[in-house]
Amino acid sequence: MKLIAPSVLSADFGNLRQDLEMINRSDADWLHVDVMDGVFVPNISFGFPLMVPMKKYCTKPLDVHLMIVHPEKYVERFCDAGAWSVGFHLEAVEDPLPILDLIKGKGVRTCLTINPDIDVTRLVPYLDKVDMVLLMSVFAGFGGQKFIPETMTKIRFIREEIDRLGLGTLVEIDGGVNTANAAELFAAGADVLVAGSAVFGTEDPEEAIRVMKR
Ligand code: DX5
Ligand code: ZN
């Protein structure tokens, strides 16, 4: 699959509705929603109040990426707020299984995420229990960082595992994705590319999305 999920983190919050309408018009597949708590990551983004306009004005599925401690306390509220998928970090929890069950109980798709310093093999036991895995290609916390090249090997590894097990689990890549590296990432086995600054930081975001998709 070749999907693009622009990250709303880099949108202009003073003109959020216009930016969401641009996403609606564009070839973007999902809207990636980055939630940061200032504890799991050294930055705070936004929370539930912004889910309301995003749900109201964005026609694309909301792909929620929680960069928070204690995701078990909040996943159901994000589901109720209209998330299409909810993901949290494996390294933020002791046991992801009961939290995945909370999300599944709401009929919402699940995603497990790891930062670049977490061994990718730790995802393998969960590949048949989630709809998607997200490999961070920068350290979670900020938009506009440089893509970590070592991510390429991890993409190939996790793609091979998923194929070997005969699963349909999607592989999402998040951080430093741009029009120059998108094709290589898809070729390595990524299904979904998140892009913040490479979309909202350009003159022609719709064209940037088109370029990344082909
Ligand atoms: C980083 C977030 C990313 C971020 C990507 O913690 O998870 O989704 O918005 O931004 P860019 O594409 O600018 O690296
Ligand atoms: Zn993200």
Side-chain angles (χ1 to χ4, degrees):
M1 232 176 267
K2 276 172 81 168
L3 308 181
I4 298 291
S7 168
V8 76
L9 188 64
S10 299
D12 176 1
F13 290 112
N15 293 291
L16 182 60
R17 185 169 172 180
Q18 281 99 306
D19 276 4
L20 294 174
E21 284 165 355
M22 179 278 291
I23 294 295
N24 296 345
R25 280 194 309 272
S26 79
D27 291 339
D29 297 280
W30 303 343
L31 184 72
H32 185 79
V33 177
D34 285 309
V35 177
M36 305 178 186
D37 67 352
V39 180
F40 180 70
V41 287
N43 196 13
I44 299 177
S45 56
F46 52 80
F48 299 113
L50 232 60
M51 286 295 288
V52 179
M54 286 194 279
K55 191 65 200 165
K56 186 168 175 194
Y57 297 117
C58 188
T59 56
K60 310 272 165 127
L62 303 180
D63 172 39
V64 175
H65 174 196
L66 300 178
M67 287 161 272
I68 65 173
V69 295
H70 294 300
E72 71 280 1
K73 291 188 189 171
Y74 305 105
V75 288
E76 288 173 296
R77 267 184 81 185
F78 279 101
C79 295
D80 292 340
W84 188 84
S85 68
V86 173
F88 58 93
H89 279 254
L90 177 60
E91 68 272 28
V93 302
E94 242 167 65
D95 181 5
L97 294 178
I99 312 172
L100 294 172
D101 284 341
L102 290 175
I103 303 169
K104 288 177 195 172
K106 289 286 185 180
V108 170
R109 291 145 204 88
T110 53
C111 177
L112 258 188
T113 304
I114 53 167
N115 257 310
D117 60 343
I118 304 300
D119 195 331
V120 65
T121 59
R122 282 183 58 187
L123 285 174
V124 175
Y126 304 104
L127 287 176
D128 63 343
K129 296 174 180 69
V130 294
D131 296 295
M132 179 160 78
V133 288
L134 192 175
L135 307 182
M136 289 302 301
S137 37
V138 301
F139 280 88
F142 300 89
Q145 303 180 73
K146 229 175 101 22
F147 181 85
I148 299 173
E150 286 74 31
T151 315
M152 298 304 301
T153 325
K154 299 178 187 179
I155 301 173
R156 288 189 200 99
F157 168 80
I158 209 75
R159 171 89 271 151
E160 266 173 37
E161 285 299 303
I162 290 167
D163 293 348
R164 190 176 60 80
L165 297 166
L167 299 168
T169 318
L170 297 179
V171 177
E172 184 174 40
I173 304 302
D174 183 3
V177 173
N178 53 45
T179 51
N181 61 16
E184 194 189 351
L185 293 167
F186 281 132
D191 297 295
V192 189
L193 300 182
V194 174
S197 40
V199 171
F200 292 101
T202 51
E203 293 270 296
D204 190 346
E206 290 181 64
E207 176 62 12
I209 293 166
R210 265 194 300 273
V211 170
M212 283 189 268
K213 277 194 85 130
R214 52 165 194 254

